[in-house]
Amino acid sequence: MKRKFTAIVILFLTAHISLYAQSFQKTSQGIHALIQSMDVEISFYSPSIVRVFKRPEGNQQKKESLSVIKLPEQLKLDVKNKEQHVTISSKLISVTVNLETGKVLFEAPNGKELFTEKDYGTQFTAINDAGNATYKVKQAYLLDNDEIIYGLGQQQNGKLNQRGQKLSLKQENMKVAVPFFQSVKGYGIFWDNYSPTIFADNAQETSFDSEVANCADYYFMFGGGGDGVVAQMRELTGQSPMMPLWSFGFNQSRERYKTQFELVDVVKKYRSLKVPLDGIVQDWQYWGKDDNWNAMSFDPTNYPKPQAMVDSVHQLNAHLFIVSWPGFAPKTPQYQEFNSKNMLINFDTWPPKANTKPYDVYNPAARNIYWNYLSKGIFSLGIDAWWLDSTEPDHINVKEKDFDQPTFLGSYRSVQNAFPLQHTGGVYTHQRAVSNNKRVLLLTRSAFAGQQRYAANTWSGDVGSNWPTLKKQIPAALNFSLSGLPYWNGDIGGFFAGAFVKGGGAKNPDFQELYTRWMQFATFTPMMRSHGTDIPREIYQFGKKGDRVFDIQEKFINLRYRLLPYTYATAWAVTHHAGSIMRPLYSQFPNDPAGFENSSEYMYGSSFLVAPVTDKGVANQEIYLPSASKWFDFWTGEIFTGGQTVKRETPMEIIPIYVKAGSIVPWGPKVQYATEKKWNDLDIRIYPGDNGDFVLYEDENDNYNYEKGEFSEIRFKWNDASKTLTVEDRKGQFKGMLGKRKFNIVVVNNQNGINTDHQTINKSFNYSGHKIAVKL
């Protein structure tokens, strides 16, 4: 009996192992398996991007991603099976699936574990969503105890490292919900779900828990570091087009200009003061009273000749943003048409008491209607950019039944977080369809994964005017950028400034200090834009030329323009190489853990380390300089060894800025607007101490001819040992390109910083597009 029982057990185990071996099927992209009553699919989209897709057994609902646009590549994959484990490998990563528990494990080719789910970590809970039988879904993972992660969109929690957090990922004013994080281990995770989601990280697990889903769907991407993961996220969800050159200048706004004459006069005053300006913004109520909210037409009393307004702005060599909202008041023709076609989402949006409703941004036909009104009423006038406000959208008088409201893609609850993506996508694609002569530029208050492909620059919302909020903007911006979204900005001075009105508004010394420090920070962000309520922010509100605060603001606006060649080249790296403009120290210095959780400093491009002053009355500030480089004080040219913390005096005129040794920085001309002067006589600032490389990018500044190859690149190389600057053959050409130009080499040292009265030009030379080497 004993022998027979043993034989039966052996037979059972053999059959059990055989069952595991037969419980998956190879597919062209990976495998399909039935595990724990779930259909599980592992699909390689590239050698470094893998989709993990799970749904309850028998659920045949299809999933079309709103964010992911990449199609799977044809790859050679190696599939191996050992007992209850199956491993699928590309040349860059291996994925192992436990056929008993459903756990998915990711490893590098050398066997180093990168990321893993928990055993039995996928949970489906049956729910009823607005009459639809579906699920609440949770996916749990395990991270290393000391692992640092970034991302999750824009969170105003003041933290760079998002470990130990429990966050509600739901679009709100001042919060951007992107269910994505990346790790210092060099991978990223995108949880592809659009319903409100709880991200939680604690000692037991790291998880995404979404209110509505018919599947668990996420993408693992391996990039090797911060920049590499961002590049993979762009590969997956879309590349970012070039913004127009003028958008990198200075932009003035206010809540709000009340007539077309007031708006044009602001531009005229900047021109008369000879303070640079490129953009002016028309905020809400240009359509009249709230019962005509967002009519996409101009009130004839205060805006009697809108075409003349637009033309006047253009004649002053400036550009005009016009605000547009996703909600409409009942009096408007848009509301009436959307309502007649069941294309409104029936809940209250801004403003209060106006019975305003948002249109169904998820419906392609509704997006067509929206653009038709926008085009006829405003775009036809020749405006230059859109301010798409309330793209969360605002949701007031909230009722639980609001989330049951139907949309083209299901309940509002099921797609809520994708609202900004669908809305901005509609405007971008429609404008691109009618015009290639003007680059789309969308200023938007919220974002979702993939929105970078729609030329969206997201601002941080209606934040308060106070020092703690200013401090939080740095990690908020960096995590936003690390989520794959390169364009971010904020209201200089914060939006709500009512606390400073009593003390004199713009003449209040406390507000002047806060505003000036905020402006210094904004100089080194993807868009420099002054805006807010309670206190007008135009430079002349703070005083006159010769007044300290006026002069400091003018200094930093001018600095922004001098940096245009550098910033525009950095923007090209965003478009052409999936780069980023604002980067944490980790992205540039992945081997220096001392910078991994630094939330007060960041890199602007690859050369500038910026450490904004974010506390009132700071006379000096401590700055950490990463160990992999020597550093130059931007203002004085003084050199510091990396790997140390230095103390820098910070009078109101100074924000600590350090330039990495080996940097090559083109220095633009002094101008009143971005395209006033050609770059035919550029200083090329060399920061010695290491070899350097820089590509100067130029195109036609505001059209899409660059997509046809009409642009030029000039590569500069600095050999530190031989003190030689080599300018390579120019690549490419475009209409209006400079055939000949002059470059002036400025080698920076402690006698040749920016604050030096007279910059020493070490050598000047002419360049006609052919390689030249200049030895110093």
Side-chain angles (χ1 to χ4, degrees):
M1 286 294 293
K2 198 169 184 179
R3 288 182 181 175
K4 186 176 180 182
F5 178 76
T6 303
I8 291 171
V9 171
I10 292 171
L11 180 63
F12 174 78
L13 289 174
T14 303
H16 199 50
I17 292 168
S18 177
L19 177 64
Y20 284 128
Q22 299 301 317
S23 62
F24 73 92
Q25 299 84 42
K26 293 182 183 179
T27 68
S28 59
Q29 305 303 140
I31 68 159
H32 173 264
L34 183 62
I35 310 169
Q36 292 291 318
S37 299
M38 294 184 300
D39 281 316
V40 178
E41 294 181 36
I42 306 297
S43 302
F44 277 72
Y45 274 49
S46 77
S48 54
I49 299 176
V50 180
R51 183 189 189 190
V52 178
F53 182 80
K54 304 178 182 180
R55 60 184 174 183
E57 182 182 1
N59 185 333
Q60 297 302 315
Q61 288 181 294
K62 300 293 184 182
K63 163 75 180 289
E64 291 189 18
S65 180
L66 301 179
S67 294
V68 174
I69 61 173
K70 181 177 175 59
L71 298 175
E73 300 172 13
Q74 293 299 314
L75 301 170
K76 184 178 180 180
L77 300 173
D78 181 40
V79 180
K80 293 180 179 178
N81 175 225
K82 185 177 181 181
E83 297 180 344
Q84 75 265 36
H85 295 90
V86 58
T87 299
I88 316 101
S89 300
S90 71
K91 61 184 180 182
L92 296 178
I93 49 177
S94 294
V95 184
T96 299
V97 182
N98 186 317
L99 297 172
E100 181 179 10
T101 69
K103 182 177 82 169
V104 182
L105 168 72
F106 299 86
E107 295 174 309
N110 61 6
K112 179 182 178 182
E113 182 177 314
L114 297 171
F115 181 65
T116 183
E117 296 180 1
K118 287 183 73 174
D119 279 318
Y120 309 104
T122 312
Q123 299 176 19
F124 288 95
T125 304
I127 62 166
N128 184 296
D129 176 41
N132 178 41
T134 185
Y135 301 91
K136 184 176 183 288
V137 63
K138 177 181 177 181
Q139 179 64 59
Y141 312 98
L142 293 174
L143 303 186
D144 296 345
N145 290 337
D146 58 351
E147 191 172 347
I148 293 170
I149 62 171
Y150 311 106
L152 301 172
Q154 175 191 272
Q155 303 297 323
Q156 298 284 353
N157 58 8
K159 297 181 181 297
L160 184 60
N161 179 8
Q162 297 299 324
R163 290 302 300 272
Q165 301 299 297
K166 184 176 183 180
L167 300 170
S168 173
L169 299 183
K170 183 168 72 171
Q171 307 292 18
E172 298 176 21
N173 184 356
M174 299 180 286
K175 285 177 59 179
V176 175
V178 182
F180 167 92
F181 67 84
Q182 64 161 289
S183 164
V184 293
K185 292 173 72 175
Y187 69 82
I189 298 294
F190 172 47
W191 175 250
D192 194 9
N193 182 284
Y194 322 118
S195 71
T197 297
I198 298 296
F199 168 83
D201 177 75
N202 52 48
Q204 287 72 46
E205 63 185 26
T206 304
S207 63
F208 290 109
D209 191 348
S210 294
E211 290 186 9
V212 182
N214 57 40
C215 60
D217 188 7
Y218 70 90
Y219 294 80
F220 173 92
M221 57 204 81
F222 184 66
D227 292 338
V229 172
V230 165
Q232 295 297 318
M233 188 61 172
R234 301 268 182 79
E235 174 73 15
L236 187 67
T237 63
Q239 300 298 336
S240 178
M242 282 294 286
M243 301 290 193
L245 177 65
W246 68 263
S247 71
F248 297 102
F250 179 66
N251 300 282
Q252 183 63 59
S253 181
R254 185 201 297 180
E255 196 280 296
R256 59 185 172 85
Y257 299 120
K258 296 180 180 179
T259 72
Q260 69 179 74
F261 311 104
E262 184 180 29
L263 181 143
V264 173
D265 280 347
V266 171
V267 184
K268 289 179 177 178
K269 286 180 181 178
Y270 270 88
R271 293 290 178 252
S272 67
L273 290 168
K274 299 195 181 304
V275 175
L277 176 77
D278 262 281
I280 187 79
V281 184
Q282 176 60 60
D283 202 347
W284 61 10
Q285 291 181 325
Y286 61 85
W287 47 73
K289 295 181 179 178
D290 285 355
D291 61 2
N292 201 41
W293 187 267
N294 200 32
M296 299 174 177
S297 59
F298 289 89
D299 168 38
T301 302
N302 294 319
Y303 299 84
K305 296 180 179 180
Q307 186 66 68
M309 174 183 68
V310 176
D311 292 345
S312 295
V313 170
H314 289 165
Q315 288 161 10
L316 290 163
N317 296 299
H319 301 81
L320 181 62
F321 291 79
I322 296 286
V323 76
S324 182
W325 292 60
F328 297 92
K331 185 178 177 181
T332 62
Q334 293 93 331
Y335 182 103
Q336 293 165 24
E337 181 170 358
F338 283 133
N339 192 40
S340 70
K341 296 177 178 177
N342 294 316
M343 292 178 178
L344 290 175
I345 308 176
N346 189 23
F347 64 76
D348 293 331
T349 188
W350 191 268
K353 301 180 181 179
N355 201 28
T356 306
K357 311 293 182 190
Y359 81 107
D360 186 355
V361 300
Y362 309 96
N363 188 329
R367 296 195 295 267
N368 292 343
I369 294 169
Y370 188 93
W371 172 256
N372 287 339
Y373 282 106
L374 199 60
S375 177
K376 292 173 185 175
I378 302 176
F379 188 65
S380 61
L381 299 174
I383 66 101
D384 304 290
W386 303 107
W387 181 1
L388 300 184
D389 207 340
S390 186
T391 45
E392 307 84 29
D394 279 305
H395 190 171
I396 58 178
N397 306 319
V398 179
K399 306 175 186 65
E400 185 59 32
K401 67 178 182 179
D402 294 349
F403 301 97
D404 294 336
Q405 291 300 311
T407 76
F408 185 78
L409 294 178
S411 73
Y412 179 62
R413 180 185 295 105
S414 69
V415 290
Q416 180 179 351
N417 282 342
F419 192 102
L421 176 70
Q422 297 294 95
H423 182 46
T424 56
V427 176
Y428 174 85
T429 53
H430 281 97
Q431 183 175 326
R432 283 299 310 264
V434 300
S435 174
N436 270 330
N437 295 324
K438 190 191 297 283
R439 292 179 192 167
V440 183
L441 172 58
L442 308 180
L443 178 61
T444 171
R445 200 172 69 183
S446 193
F448 194 71
Q451 198 161 312
Q452 71 281 349
R453 64 183 184 253
Y454 298 137
N457 192 321
T458 302
W459 93 95
S460 60
D462 300 338
V463 299
S465 300
N466 56 71
W467 293 99
T469 296
L470 171 57
K471 189 186 294 286
K472 290 176 183 177
Q473 298 315 291
I474 300 172
L478 295 177
N479 278 315
F480 184 85
S481 181
L482 286 166
S483 300
L485 300 156
Y487 286 102
W488 180 96
N489 71 102
D491 296 345
I492 297 177
F495 182 71
F496 291 108
F500 298 97
V501 172
K502 264 189 180 177
K507 300 289 175 43
N508 181 327
D510 289 337
F511 183 67
Q512 289 185 338
E513 181 183 2
L514 176 66
Y515 183 85
T516 299
R517 292 305 195 187
W518 213 308
M519 174 175 273
Q520 291 169 346
F521 165 53
T523 305
F524 294 90
T525 64
M527 178 180 282
M528 187 182 188
R529 184 183 58 87
S530 171
H531 179 69
T533 192
D534 303 313
I535 298 174
R537 317 286 173 89
E538 296 80 16
I539 189 171
Y540 48 82
Q541 307 286 352
F542 293 85
K544 61 184 183 303
K545 280 185 185 285
D547 292 344
R548 186 184 187 196
V549 172
F550 183 105
D551 290 350
I552 295 171
Q553 289 185 37
E554 184 180 25
K555 169 184 175 178
F556 279 88
I557 294 172
N558 276 315
L559 174 58
R560 176 75 175 188
Y561 280 83
R562 291 299 189 103
L563 288 171
L564 275 181
Y566 173 86
T567 299
Y568 203 51
T570 303
W572 175 240
V574 168
T575 296
H576 198 55
H577 300 292
S580 299
I581 296 175
M582 296 180 73
R583 304 161 64 236
L585 299 188
Y586 156 69
S587 293
Q588 181 99 8
F589 306 102
N591 297 317
D592 189 352
F596 285 4
E597 297 186 73
N598 189 321
S599 62
S600 61
E601 304 171 21
Y602 62 95
M603 298 298 296
Y604 182 71
S606 60
S607 295
F608 290 91
L609 186 153
V610 185
V613 177
T614 57
D615 290 298
K616 179 179 172 58
V618 172
N620 53 68
Q621 183 163 307
E622 291 188 343
I623 301 101
Y624 176 72
L625 302 176
S627 59
S629 179
K630 292 182 179 178
W631 296 91
F632 289 77
D633 185 304
F634 174 70
W635 304 106
T636 67
E638 186 178 359
I639 303 172
F640 295 86
T641 302
Q644 64 168 322
T645 297
V646 298
K647 186 172 284 190
R648 179 63 164 90
E649 291 184 357
T650 52
M652 278 275 283
E653 291 80 2
I654 294 294
I655 172 180
I657 307 167
Y658 292 83
V659 186
K660 185 172 66 69
S663 294
I664 302 171
V665 178
W667 196 244
K670 187 174 183 180
V671 293
Q672 297 303 295
Y673 54 93
T675 57
E676 182 186 15
K677 297 175 184 176
K678 290 185 177 291
W679 297 344
N680 61 338
D681 190 4
L682 289 182
D683 287 356
I684 305 298
R685 301 182 63 81
I686 306 293
Y687 293 82
D690 203 349
N691 295 332
D693 192 297
F694 180 84
V695 176
L696 179 68
Y697 171 81
E698 295 168 294
D699 60 19
E700 295 173 43
N701 300 325
D702 194 8
N703 60 38
Y704 288 98
N705 288 341
Y706 75 87
E707 292 182 343
K708 305 171 187 175
E710 296 181 28
F711 60 87
S712 74
E713 294 178 309
I714 301 173
R715 183 177 293 277
F716 295 79
K717 291 184 177 180
W718 170 253
N719 186 307
D720 199 60
S722 65
K723 307 302 178 193
T724 300
L725 179 68
T726 301
V727 187
E728 302 284 357
D729 288 335
R730 181 180 54 226
K731 294 182 178 179
Q733 59 182 4
F734 59 92
K735 185 179 178 181
M737 183 181 73
L738 290 168
K740 297 180 180 180
R741 65 207 307 167
K742 186 170 76 169
F743 291 129
N744 311 299
I745 302 176
V746 176
V747 178
V748 178
N749 55 42
N750 58 8
Q751 279 85 45
N752 215 15
I754 289 296
N755 278 355
T756 307
D757 290 337
H758 300 286
Q759 293 283 295
T760 299
I761 295 175
N762 298 84
K763 188 171 284 190
S764 296
F765 61 96
N766 295 320
Y767 177 76
S768 58
H770 302 296
K771 182 176 180 178
I772 184 171
V774 181
K775 186 174 175 60
L776 299 179

